[in-house]
Amino acid sequence: MTTDIIIYHNPECGTSRNALAMIRNAGIEPHVVEYLKTPPARALLESLIARAGMTPRALLREKGTPFAELGLGNPELTDAQVIDAMMAHPILINRPLVISPLGVKLCRPSEAVLDLIPAAQQTAFAKEDGEQVIDAAGNRIAQ
């Protein structure tokens, strides 16, 4: 299936790998952007944040990043300052960020990506940790 889906992906992240696998489980090959190698331009990042209906701080990743060292927990920082930090240190951008014809969303937990996929899941799917997300009939399992 040809559908324009873009995933800002970190292959080292299990949540990101699971979201990518669910997109592929619907028969869609997304455009994969390894954002640590190819970070989005500032204007694009600002647009994606706005389209996702979130704040820059809501997209900010703390774990495994220089969040604390940079003092990013300071509530007095402006949105522009938070985005400045993300531009300087792309690891601060939380992932996976997915763009589809159905919207833009930070897909944490990974099954949030199912809301953005305009096609049915083709087979059963379990996340890397074994949690079953899609049953054999391609239906989402209620959690």
Side-chain angles (χ1 to χ4, degrees):
M1 172 180 229
T2 305
T3 298
D4 288 333
I5 294 183
I6 301 167
I7 180 170
Y8 284 87
H9 176 64
N10 179 347
E12 300 298 316
C13 171
T15 302
S16 195
R17 289 191 305 268
N18 283 322
L20 177 57
M22 282 183 259
I23 296 168
R24 289 177 171 157
N25 195 48
I28 298 169
E29 184 54 42
H31 179 72
V32 178
V33 178
E34 288 191 31
Y35 73 95
L36 295 178
K37 293 179 182 176
T38 311
R42 184 186 189 97
L44 176 58
L45 182 61
E46 290 170 341
S47 171
L48 293 174
I49 291 168
R51 289 173 57 199
M54 60 194 316
T55 65
R57 190 169 293 281
L59 187 62
L60 194 57
R61 181 169 178 82
E62 294 182 38
K63 183 179 171 189
T65 73
F67 177 91
E69 295 84 7
L70 296 172
L72 295 173
N74 179 349
E76 294 181 19
L77 292 177
T78 65
D79 286 351
Q81 289 171 312
V82 170
I83 291 173
D84 287 344
M86 290 180 188
M87 297 309 301
H89 306 276
I91 192 71
L92 289 165
I93 302 170
N94 214 339
R95 73 279 181 163
L97 190 61
V98 178
I99 301 98
S100 91
L102 300 178
V104 178
K105 183 181 273 193
L106 173 62
C107 294
R108 298 189 77 80
S110 58
E111 54 269 26
V113 76
L114 295 170
D115 298 333
L116 296 177
I117 301 173
Q121 294 288 293
Q122 296 180 344
T123 62
F125 181 84
K127 295 196 295 189
E128 290 179 0
D129 66 2
E131 179 186 347
Q132 196 71 31
V133 178
I134 304 297
D135 66 19
N139 299 309
R140 190 174 187 168
I141 297 171
Q143 298 296 329

